[in-house]
Amino acid sequence: MTPNGRNRTRTHARAWRTAATLAVLITAVVLGGCGIRPTQVPVDAGPAPSRVPCEVTGENVTPQAQPQGVPVRVYLVCASQLESVDRPVQIPEGKAVDSRVQVAQALLDELQEEPSSPEHEAGFATYVRGPLTLSGPREGDPAGTLRLSRQPEDLPTAALAQIVCTFAESRTAATDGTVLLGGPGEYAPRGYQCSAGTKERPEEAVPTLGPLPSSQAS
């Protein structure tokens, strides 16, 4: 190689090293100025915050949307959980006021209603689809049994959770909060319970006591 060729090679090598050094320095300055540090550890920022309030405030309800009736609490689904809303329910006067079946049917009717505009805007929904009716215990059922027009196990899990938790916090449940539900068939009724897990994860199985032994209904 001629002296001129060797000089050109050395010049190109020095230029390449200088460019590489400048690139490293520029990258370090940019990253340092942005406060970014290289890391290989994934960062868990947690779930994205929910934008639905899951609460119906008084400001969202107009006087025309407040019919008179007996105040009751029903459970709807909001942000993948069960949340309670208060509604006035029309219950026929007379014997029906003391009838567990009539009260349960009124609650069930509310669960089948589409959420009102304020409830919808707050993020509420219902999975209970009609027509769905109730009847009292049959001969041999435990006292307090409610028979649905569909087998409880055939309902969407979230819908069953809505029904159980709504009934559990009303006078339709047993003294310990157990809800006794059966269907139109000959299957024995089961005892269902509304646990904290049911409210947090309504799409999972609703706690049950299993088939209940037959007894004389009263």
Side-chain angles (χ1 to χ4, degrees), residues 18 21 63 65 68 73 106-107 114 136 153 156 163 170-171 173 197 199-200 203 205-206 209 212 218:
T18 301
T21 302
Q68 298 298 315
R73 175 175 294 178
L107 294 173
E114 286 297 323
E153 306 90 89
I163 295 172
S170 72
R171 52 182 166 172
K199 294 180 181 179
E200 293 173 359
E203 294 189 359
V206 181
L209 304 179
L212 301 177
S218 61

Side-chain angles (χ1 to χ4, degrees), residues 33-193:
C34 295
I36 300 175
R37 294 182 179 179
T39 177
Q40 294 181 350
V41 180
V43 178
D44 183 6
S50 173
R51 293 183 179 275
V52 292
C54 294
E55 182 179 356
V56 180
T57 60
E59 293 82 6
N60 294 333
V61 183
T62 61
Q64 291 80 5
Q66 295 179 334
Q68 298 298 315
V70 179
V72 297
R73 175 175 294 178
V74 298
Y75 277 91
L76 303 179
V77 178
C78 187
S80 300
Q81 296 183 352
L82 291 189
E83 299 288 350
S84 63
V85 297
D86 295 326
R87 288 180 177 177
V89 174
Q90 299 292 334
I91 298 178
E93 297 181 357
K95 291 179 59 179
V97 174
D98 299 321
S99 170
R100 179 182 304 220
V101 176
Q102 294 293 334
V103 172
Q105 184 64 60
L107 294 173
L108 186 61
D109 290 342
E110 287 297 315
L111 292 174
Q112 295 177 81
E113 289 286 338
E114 286 297 323
S116 63
S117 294
E119 291 170 347
H120 180 74
E121 292 174 2
F124 288 98
T126 183
Y127 287 82
V128 183
R129 296 288 183 262
L132 197 59
T133 58
L134 277 170
S135 60
R138 298 174 181 171
E139 184 177 356
D141 283 347
T145 296
L146 297 169
R147 289 273 182 176
L148 292 166
S149 56
R150 291 180 60 189
Q151 199 66 28
E153 306 90 89
D154 294 339
L155 297 173
T157 306
L160 181 58
Q162 285 184 248
I163 295 172
V164 170
C165 287
T166 299
F167 287 178
E169 297 187 9
S170 72
R171 52 182 166 172
T172 62
T175 55
D176 63 350
T178 300
V179 179
L180 309 181
L181 292 178
E186 298 301 324
Y187 297 104
R190 291 173 176 260
Y192 294 90
Q193 295 179 326

